[in-house]
Every structure is written in C-alpha cells, then in structure tokens.
Amino acid sequence: HVQLVESGGGSVQAGGSLRLSCDVSGYSVQTAYMAWFRQAPGKMREGVASIDRAGYPTYTHSVKDRFTISKDNAKNTLYLQMNSLEPEDTAVYYCAADQFAFGLSPQYKYWGQGTQVTVS
C-alpha cells in the first residue's frame, strides 16, 4: 500500500519561508519520479517542481530561484524548501510519485492528501 503524507504547511507573511515534507511509505523515492503540485481556489492544479531519479530538479518559472526540491533516500522523504514566499503562492500543496517521468504534468499515479500554505 503506497502512502504519501505531506506536512509543514501553515501561514506565513510575505517574504517568509516554509519547508514542506512528504513522507513516503510502500514506495521508494530513490527509484521514483516525484513532484510537488499546488492548487489555489478556483484554479487548476499546477506543477511546481519535479525531481528525477538522479535528483535532477525542474521548476515552474514562477518559483525558480525561490523554491528548492530535494529528497532524502534514506528517510524516503521528499522536500520542498520555499523561500521569499508571495501571496500568489497561497494554495494546497500536494506531493506525487510515479515510476514514469511526468515532470510537471499531473499524470502521477500516487498523490498525498495535501497541505495548506497561506501567505499574507
């Protein structure tokens, strides 16, 4: 049974930082393609950052140089370090995993339940 559990969301003022975690069970992050998505009210789910098996990252333009995706294979955990947060970053953030490389496209098989990030 594959389970992805996000944590680390919360409320922060503009310019602040948050670090999201995605604890994975039943699936190896070392061999998975993984990503972070977000969905704001009334908007479509958006790919924020992805990471391939070798650890190579890809970012959507709006978060490049502010967000960093990483993974800890030993802890089987995916992270998203978010700096210089803006009100436009407010959304529910989801982690996703798959054996195939979907990049920032929301075609991943496994998803977490999401964690709320609010920037004011």
Side-chain angles (χ1 to χ4, degrees):
H1 177 63
V2 178
Q3 191 171 15
L4 283 66
V5 180
E6 302 95 336
S7 61
S11 297
V12 64
Q13 290 188 338
S17 298
L18 285 172
R19 187 195 196 202
L20 304 184
S21 298
C22 174
D23 293 319
V24 181
S25 58
Y27 208 72
S28 171
V29 300
Q30 185 171 4
T31 58
Y33 293 90
M34 301 196 70
W36 287 98
F37 290 80
R38 66 186 179 187
Q39 189 165 19
K43 294 188 176 182
M44 293 184 65
R45 190 166 295 190
E46 172 192 26
V48 174
S50 66
I51 189 166
D52 68 11
R53 293 173 174 174
Y56 187 81
T58 301
Y59 300 96
T60 192
H61 178 74
S62 63
V63 308
K64 204 170 183 180
D65 298 327
R66 298 191 298 123
F67 290 10
T68 301
I69 188 171
S70 63
K71 59 179 180 174
D72 186 323
N73 294 334
K75 294 183 178 180
N76 219 38
T77 300
L78 179 72
Y79 301 101
L80 185 68
Q81 177 67 45
M82 305 186 295
N83 298 328
S84 302
L85 283 161
E86 304 169 351
E88 292 75 21
D89 296 317
T90 296
V92 178
Y93 283 71
Y94 302 88
C95 63
D98 203 293
Q99 64 175 321
F100 299 112
F102 292 114
L104 300 180
S105 175
Q107 299 179 61
Y108 291 76
K109 182 175 183 179
Y110 301 110
W111 292 83
Q113 82 290 347
T115 185
Q116 176 70 46
V117 171
T118 303
V119 185
S120 59

